[in-house]
């Protein structure tokens, strides 16, 4: 298949170079283990053939991440790591390899094991005289896919799925919290804008009231008020009083005139309000009923419109 073809091509390029870095002693041990000439140019092939099947079919309860559906470049990257790790495992003591094999294998015992690649199971070796070298190869076959991070156990896959589910839930919760905060901030901004608008209207209303109040003084005739002071018969017509007294008199007359003006405007406002209310048929009917309740004879001659007309004539 595609994986085997790409993996062997990578092995031919990587393993000889890595073997040369191990030293003569290690190369001789590997050559003895695989019963070949201790030449890296010849040693890489039996080593690759020994572990190639487990690249896509890990022993025990493993699931490989490499398949023919992948792009060749992706397969090559994983195969490169796989072959490098195979040599690192050969440098480990048998006890460490057995410990890892027990963890990743299908309940592999600490005794020597034999591998059935077809069934993907590990079974104890019946022959007690199995060499240490053979035990090492068998342990590496189990460990290599997991050690190179090509494979994961079913338990690891399940745990990863649970972690992913929790991450997604936490992400959704965080997004909901952010949306809630954004909505609150937006509402707060709207409220602040609304309150600012209301405040501006209140200020404008207050300013208009102040302007309307003091605008009345624009119509006040100061010259006329001063002439009133100098008319014959007034207290200050002799001209013998001090300037301060004249100022007091002018101020007092102005105050009185202003008060009278305000009273007239207030009465006019009341007349306007009364006229507006009497224009309502319901109110007129109610008023007539009241008059009739007091004196039914006189109520016949009552003219409601004459009430306001008489006030204006006065």
């Amino acid at each position: 298949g595609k994986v085997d073809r790409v993996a062997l091509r990578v092995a031919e390029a990587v393993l000889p170079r890595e073997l040369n870095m191990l030293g003569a002693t290690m190369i001789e041990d590997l050559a003895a283990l695989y019963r070949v000439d201790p030449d890296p140019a010849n040693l890489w092939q039996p080593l690759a053939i020994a572990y190639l099947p487990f690249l896509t079919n890990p022993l025990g309860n493993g699931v490989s991440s490499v398949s023919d559906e992948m792009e060749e470049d992706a397969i090559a990257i994983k195969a490169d790591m796989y072959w490098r790790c195979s040599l690192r495992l050969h440098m480990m003591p048998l006890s460490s390899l057995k410990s890892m094999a027990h963890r990743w294998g299908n309940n592999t015992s600490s005794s020597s094991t034999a591998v059935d690649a077809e069934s993907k199971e590990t079974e104890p070796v019946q022959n007690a005289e199995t060499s240490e070298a053979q035990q090492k190869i068998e342990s590496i076959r189990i460990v290599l896919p997991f050690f190179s991070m090509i494979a994961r156990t079913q338990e690891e896959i399940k745990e990863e799925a649970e972690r992913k589910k929790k991450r997604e839930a936490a992400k959704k919760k965080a997004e909901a919290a952010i949306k809630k905060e954004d909505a609150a901030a937006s509402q707060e901004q709207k409220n602040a804008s609304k309150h600012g608008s209301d405040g501006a209207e209140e200020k404008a209303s207050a300013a208009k009231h102040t302007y309307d109040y003091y605008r009345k003084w624009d119509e006040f005739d100061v010259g006329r008020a001063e002439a009133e002071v100098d008319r014959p018969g007034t207290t200050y017509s002799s001209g013998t009083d001090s300037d301060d007294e004249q100022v007091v008199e002018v101020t007092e007359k102005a105050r009185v005139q202003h008060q009278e003006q305000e009273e007239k405007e207030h009465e006019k406002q009341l007349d306007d309000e009364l006229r507006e209310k009497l224009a309502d048929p319901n109110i007129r009917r109610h008023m007539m009923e009241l008059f009739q309740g007091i004196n039914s004879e006189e109520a016949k001659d009552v003219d409601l419109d004459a009430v306001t007309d008489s006030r204006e004539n006065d």
Side-chain angles (χ1 to χ4, degrees):
K2 183 197 295 185
V3 172
D4 291 350
R5 175 171 50 81
V6 175
L8 287 175
R9 186 184 68 210
V10 174
E12 184 177 9
V14 172
L15 288 177
R17 184 174 66 249
E18 292 292 320
L19 287 168
N20 282 323
M21 297 173 62
L22 296 180
T25 303
M26 187 64 188
I27 292 176
E28 290 177 359
D29 291 343
L30 288 173
L33 183 61
Y34 291 101
R35 300 176 183 178
V36 294
D37 182 68
D39 182 356
N42 300 322
L43 183 55
W44 75 267
Q45 191 169 7
L47 193 150
I49 292 174
Y51 303 118
L52 180 62
F54 312 106
L55 177 61
T56 53
N57 295 285
L59 295 172
N61 60 350
V63 178
S64 176
S65 61
V66 181
S67 67
D68 288 336
E69 286 73 25
M70 297 173 61
E71 296 291 334
E72 289 193 4
D73 290 343
I75 296 173
I77 292 173
K78 290 183 176 292
D80 183 271
M81 177 63 70
Y82 187 76
W83 299 127
R84 292 174 188 273
C85 288
S86 67
L87 294 181
R88 299 298 179 272
L89 290 175
H90 275 285
M91 298 170 66
M92 292 184 180
L94 180 59
S95 58
S96 298
L97 293 173
K98 283 186 175 183
S99 177
M100 288 188 288
H102 179 73
R103 171 190 173 188
W104 282 314
N106 189 17
N107 297 323
T108 304
S109 64
S110 57
S111 60
S112 67
T113 58
V115 178
D116 181 359
E118 295 298 327
S119 63
K120 294 185 62 177
E121 297 293 337
T122 55
E123 299 176 354
V125 174
Q126 300 299 323
N127 184 4
E129 297 181 356
T130 302
S131 66
E132 181 176 329
Q134 185 61 33
Q135 293 180 46
K136 198 168 195 176
I137 293 176
E138 292 166 356
S139 297
I140 292 174
R141 285 173 174 171
I142 297 173
V143 173
L144 180 55
F146 302 98
F147 186 77
S148 61
M149 294 183 292
I150 296 297
R152 291 185 299 171
T153 64
Q154 295 288 353
E155 291 77 8
E156 289 172 339
I157 294 174
K158 184 177 179 180
E159 290 174 0
E160 175 61 25
E162 290 295 329
R163 287 195 295 269
K164 182 178 180 181
K165 185 177 179 181
K166 290 180 180 179
R167 287 195 301 268
E168 291 176 350
K171 181 180 178 181
K172 289 181 180 179
K173 185 176 180 180
E175 290 175 349
I178 292 173
K179 288 182 179 179
K180 185 176 180 180
E181 291 178 0
D182 291 344
S186 177
Q187 185 62 42
E188 184 177 352
Q189 185 177 4
K190 289 180 181 179
N191 293 339
S193 177
K194 181 180 179 181
H195 293 161
S197 176
D198 293 343
E201 290 177 0
E202 291 176 1
K203 290 180 180 178
S205 178
K208 184 176 185 302
H209 174 74
T210 304
Y211 172 75
D212 290 343
Y213 178 79
Y214 286 103
R215 185 180 60 178
K216 298 174 182 179
W217 288 98
D218 294 341
E219 301 174 359
F220 179 69
D221 191 344
V222 177
R224 180 181 178 184
E226 291 176 346
E228 290 287 337
V229 175
D230 295 332
R231 281 189 310 170
T234 61
T235 306
Y236 304 104
S237 61
S238 61
T240 59
D241 297 302
S242 66
D243 293 339
D244 291 340
E245 290 176 339
Q246 291 181 10
V247 171
V248 171
E249 179 68 15
V250 171
T251 303
E252 177 64 18
K253 284 182 175 293
R255 186 189 65 78
V256 172
Q257 288 182 356
H258 176 64
Q259 183 175 357
E260 291 176 352
Q261 182 69 20
E262 282 193 336
E263 289 177 355
K264 289 180 180 180
E265 290 181 358
H266 182 64
E267 290 178 357
K268 184 177 182 302
Q269 182 179 359
L270 291 176
D271 290 342
D272 292 340
E273 292 179 358
L274 179 59
R275 186 179 293 104
E276 181 180 355
K277 292 183 181 295
L278 290 177
D280 188 337
N282 292 328
I283 294 178
R284 294 178 70 91
R285 184 173 61 255
H286 183 64
M287 292 292 293
M288 293 299 297
E289 290 175 355
L290 290 176
F291 280 119
Q292 291 174 358
I294 296 172
N295 192 326
S296 60
E297 292 297 328
E298 294 181 359
K300 297 178 181 179
D301 300 327
V302 171
D303 185 358
L304 294 178
D305 295 328
V307 176
T308 55
D309 294 339
S310 62
R311 285 178 58 84
E312 289 180 352
N313 294 329
D314 291 341

